[in-house]
Amino acid sequence: MLKINDLHASVNDKEILKGINLEVNAGEVHAIMGPNGSGKSTLAAVIAGKEEFEVTQGNVVLNGEDLEDCAPEERAHKGVFMSFQYPIEIPGVSVTNFMKTAINESRKARGEEDMPAKEMLKLIRDKAEMLEIDRKFLSRSLNEGFSGGEKKRNEIFQMAMLEPKLAIWTKPIPGWILMRFA
Amino acid sequence: MAYTEEELKKELETKEYEYGFYTDIESDTFPVGLNEDIVIAISKKKEEPEWMTTWRLEAFKIWKEMEEPEWANVTYKKPDFQAISYYSAPNSKPKYDSLDEVDPELLDTFKKLGISLDEQKKLAGVAVDIIVDSVSVATTFKKTLGEKGIIFCSISEAIKEHPELVRKYLGTIVPQKDNFYAALNSAVFSDGSFCYIPKGVRCPMELSTYFRINQANTGQFERTLLIADEGSYVSYLEGCTAPSRDENQLHAAVVELIAMDGAEIKYSTVQNWYPGNKEGKGGVFNFVTKRGLCEKNAKISWTQVETGSAVTWKYPSCILKGDNSIGEFYSIAVTNNHQQADTGTKMVHLGKNTRSTIISKGISAGKSQNSYRGLVRINSRAKNARNFSQCDSLLMGNECGAHTFPYIEVKNKSAQIEHEATTSKIGEDQIFYCNQRGIPTEKAIALIVNGFSKEVLNKLPMEFAVEAQKLLEISLEGSVG
């Protein structure tokens, strides 16, 4: 599903990734370990398409498609999900509203209509129940004033809502989550 | 590929004014310049009684002695007041019984602005008094309002039909000598709206006015007088767009609100005058004086969404004269490119147990400068007065500015004043976070800005909130379509 070929990437002319090769098949869980500053987060950001990293050699292929010319949102539409080590706060935008917008933008990109409100509510309810998330949590502003644990849980909730093909986590995940998602 | 801040900035710069068209309607325009004869001519043209002409002349005399203020945090080339024409009215017959009689080109203008004048408005519960270049062209639903004893008409009409009310209240809240622009407005105001809600009446619909500058080089001097008698309630909406012109256009309006004992006035504005092009050429100068007086147990709530004008100078204020009266100010001010806004409010606490709330949201992009300037004054007699102020600024890019000038004067020890302020920036991180979840950059900005402005947007009446949200997106999103 994911194929990384001889990937070189640099930031401000400093090479950080020096020829990464990796193949991940559907259903597999890969753990990439290494000391601080060895480029784990950079690899994740490059796969997600973060602009500040420049790919100088090699490529990232998702389901046979080279992602080089894809904007981050296009990669998301193709099923790439990256969790943030430090999820960003967006004041005044509720978790629900954010998810609704994200899902409908992905649908729009696929040429589909917005998800009907009823269906959206049901999806939110189901996923929240599965993850034992309090519904009140969903109407709070995105990541604003969230505890570390709440932020992480919110990232998991978003992943569950978006149902990505490829999920990248850049920080160890508590065991109970691995149990559900592995 | 992904977005950088540079690209975002470029996109914001290329955003063009959507309502920049010009309607070719024959106009009856005065020669440029201002002197006593012009003031008298305006008054004559409007068939005003003598007391009105005298009042205008008094104002003109005061204005001549006054200096244009310079304390605001804005820089612009001062208008040449002798190069402006002070009266312009659409040439066709100014009043109509039905829409069929209205100049079709004018109706087309309204259509472009998305204003529907037909029966749907009634279903939506909106009565509209539209002002195109100074003269009220169509007033609807006067009858429905009339049954409740509500008067809603142009100020010119009110001067003729209800002189006792106009004479009693005009200039009592904003006197002729209040400030330079108020004096100018008092001398040459061309038209505006008048509204009177009788005792104990709850106005059954939102009253709304659309302003529009149409003729090049014509100053627009609106005068609005709104009186809510004891125990009454009214919600008033004011919105405007202006066509694209190269010359700077001057807009100096005066709005006076009177909320008698136990009355409540909700006054909402969406302002979208032409902001000038991306080099900062052209655009409207918007120098407005808005003030309301609250008697005992009365409440005045100002809500404004300011997205337009090259230069804005505007401080909707409340004089909390009566005990237990309440003043509120909710504002969103957006500046882009070279726009400059110096806006805020004054809450003057005179009565006991008076309360005021100020929520101001400033959004700056491009090379614009956005200032909040507010005064909270607690007089010695105002026991147990309270104020809460919150001023938040959102910056986009590295070349814009956000400024806050809060003034607090407290002369009574029992007062409680709170002031909170934040400044934040739409960061690449926030945008990348949205992108990663599948939200494109434009949508992400709209989402962030709407979230930032939510507390104020929530205060707008429904039909206005939608328009305001759209305006915010148009003003900031960039090249949509």
Side-chain angles (χ1 to χ4, degrees), chain B residues 153-202:
Chain B
C153 61
S154 72
I155 193 111
S156 317
E157 199 179 329
I159 290 166
K160 279 182 235 164
E161 308 286 330
H162 310 281
E164 69 298 338
L165 283 171
V166 177
R167 211 170 169 179
K168 188 169 171 194
Y169 293 108
L170 188 74
T172 55
I173 311 302
V174 180
Q176 291 138 303
K177 61 173 190 293
D178 190 81
N179 67 68
F180 184 82
Y181 304 110
L184 181 64
N185 175 288
S186 302
V188 301
F189 71 87
S190 33
D191 215 332
S193 296
F194 175 84
C195 179
Y196 172 80
I197 316 288
K199 262 182 209 172
V201 170
R202 201 182 158 84

Side-chain angles (χ1 to χ4, degrees), chain A residues 78-99:
Chain A
K78 290 183 200 305
V80 176
F81 178 93
M82 183 188 90
S83 88
F84 279 59
Q85 208 160 337
Y86 305 103
I88 313 291
E89 296 181 4
I90 306 185
V93 178
S94 68
V95 176
T96 303
N97 187 14
F98 186 68
M99 273 297 93

Side-chain angles (χ1 to χ4, degrees), chain B residues 75 112 145 168 189 207 211 217 259 296 322 339 353 397 406 426 428 448 466 472:
Chain B
T75 47
K112 277 192 232 173
L145 296 172
K168 188 169 171 194
F189 71 87
L207 299 181
F211 295 105
N217 238 345
K296 226 183 271 172
Q339 280 178 280
N353 306 315
I426 293 191
E428 283 176 47
I448 294 165
V466 176
L472 286 183

Side-chain angles (χ1 to χ4, degrees), chain B residues 319-421:
Chain B
I319 313 289
L320 303 171
K321 181 181 159 214
D323 293 349
N324 313 314
S325 58
I326 300 172
E328 293 177 340
F329 174 75
Y330 300 99
S331 168
I332 302 169
V334 180
T335 53
N336 197 357
N337 297 320
H338 289 265
Q339 280 178 280
Q340 304 174 70
D342 192 306
T343 182
T345 183
K346 279 192 237 175
M347 292 291 174
V348 180
H349 294 250
L350 302 175
K352 295 188 187 89
N353 306 315
T354 45
R355 281 178 288 154
S356 62
T357 305
I358 299 170
I359 310 281
S360 163
K361 305 274 180 179
I363 301 161
S364 340
K367 295 182 175 170
S368 67
Q369 297 294 328
N370 201 324
S371 303
Y372 167 80
R373 186 184 303 275
L375 168 72
V376 177
R377 180 187 288 154
I378 314 287
N379 272 34
S380 54
R381 236 170 29 83
K383 240 172 100 179
N384 296 322
R386 279 164 172 250
N387 163 265
F388 174 76
S389 301
Q390 186 186 328
C391 305
D392 297 328
S393 305
L394 187 67
L395 297 159
M396 301 168 84
N398 295 323
E399 291 175 282
C400 55
H403 315 267
T404 308
F405 304 97
Y407 303 84
I408 299 172
E409 294 171 16
V410 179
K411 288 177 184 149
N412 187 307
K413 282 186 184 159
S414 62
Q416 278 186 45
I417 311 271
E418 289 172 75
H419 184 100
E420 288 178 13

